Amino acid sequence: MNWQGILSIYRYEMNRTFRTLAQSIVSPVLSTVLYFVVFGSAIGSRIDTVDGIPYGAFIVPGLIMLTVLQQSVTNASFGIYFPKFIGTIYELLSAPLSFIEIVIGYVGAAATKALMIAVIILITSAFFVDLTIAHPVWMVTFLLLTAISFSLLGFIIGIWAKNFEQLQLIPLLVITPLVFLGGAFYSVSMLPPAWQTVSFFNPVVYLISGFRWSFFGVSDVPVVISLLAISVFLAAGLAVIWVIFRTGWRIKA
Amino acid sequence: MDAIISIQNLAKTYDGGFEALKDINLDIAEGEILALLGPNGAGKTTLISTICGLVTPTSGQVTVGGHDIIHAFRAARSLIGLVPQEITIEPFAKVIDTVQFSRGLFGKPRNDAHIESVLKSLSLWDKRNARNQTLSGGMKRRVLIAKALSHEPRVLFLDEPTAGVDVTLRKEMWELVRRLRDDGVTIILTTHYIEEAEEMADRIGIIDKGRLLLVEEKARLLHDLGRKELVLELGAPLNELPASLAGFNLSLSEDRQHLTYEFDAHAERTGMTRLLGAIAETGLSLKDLSTRQSSLEDVFLKLVQDGHSNEEAGE
């Protein structure tokens, strides 16, 4: 393994984050604060509790997941798309690095960024609501698995994308709606039965449910199924990466 | 000298069916400067890209320092530095960070002294903290060279290093290449400027339509090119060569108006004085005379044309 090479990519990507501090960190935090003010305080003050949890606290896990999903996909896809776009990818391909090492560097950095933002949001939310974390180890596990799986997805999107429009397509048209409809701001049990059934086809429901369980010990679906779902995601992502690695799809002639 | 790069039966056919490389065989000696000369689309960049790992070969084998580029890609690639044709550089990063990053990618631990010496040798040290996007085109190209040299490669590929570069910078680039060669780096450069190949290379390879038409020592090539022609325009048409001129290497043109004398410009005696004396004795009147030296360009064009006509004949 070329650890030095992996570390170089990781550091370079992290430096990019700090160079673009405003858009990398400040903007997701700001939008989360806005969600708190609007949903948590303004609307939440009219909602008593959901599943016995004050509404303001109830939305915290969903908000964190929303941001982690978006950030993982955006960071990883942009991270690998940018060198492709400006042409500097020649250097990655001519370096003594295997494709898997390149993936570890980019996905590692994207997941780290997403996790950093998750922690910042968690801390920010503590200023607005009383938070308890029932299962901290599971919370971290869910967060890690989600950040890694969706960074992998982002990396795949970055390899696939041929232009900036395609790069934004999946985060905007797929991830955001799935998260909003995935129970970030409500419990799936609050929906009419027909819509509950539809919701169970939304993979994000399982992620948010499991993550919320790690906070409050209540969930829409059994936590084992949530874990299974995220594992399937991770495995699917790795499988696609493996195929890209074998075929050099969209990166090598 | 041992070959540092050995290419055997290398071929590349792209997905669309385009044959970019056809049966390339080439050994590159350690420490030499090899210039690959060829028109646009000849396959120069594909050849370099294949050796460097950007393009997967269809068939054949390439070793760098004895390491196969596919099976031992890490060992092979760590010996190589690549300067691409296009200026591709991260616009927002600082010069020094970009160069350090390149070294890291090649698995080398940080070495500030080496990076400093590379940047100094390329006159970039003062600009080390500047963002890449603020640099001039020439400086950006030098940053690309610094990146390629950051991991102390033994082989450096320069793909069209002086394309679109002004005369001063071109001279600087040539100077740099010579310095690198003096340091023991093997250099392979592609160019379509014949002058450049003539100026810098130890050996010249001519490539066209994916085939390597010729690889020759530059000195030898230039020697072969050293042939000159003296063309004499006659005052009146001549039916046949006078017997007294038969001993000279002369030929009469079809219009019977011109005599062409071929001689070796590098030879101590060209025989020209003797020829002119002999002509004066025959009483032939001369209207004009001119000399013409064949250049690398002529050989190049002839080879490329021969290649094309052979191909047509074969079809």
Side-chain angles (χ1 to χ4, degrees), chain B residues 24 48 105 128 154-155 167 186 191 224 227 256 288 291 310:
Chain B
I24 304 276
I48 286 192
L105 281 186
R128 63 191 180 279
R154 281 170 60 198
V155 183
V167 182
T186 307
T191 180
D224 292 348
R227 310 227 45 97
R256 309 200 171 274
D288 194 9
T291 63
N310 285 346

Side-chain angles (χ1 to χ4, degrees), chain B residues 32-50:
Chain B
E32 76 168 323
I33 300 182
L34 175 78
L36 287 171
L37 203 58
N40 288 328
K44 304 186 296 281
T45 300
T46 302
L47 179 58
I48 286 192
S49 300
T50 309

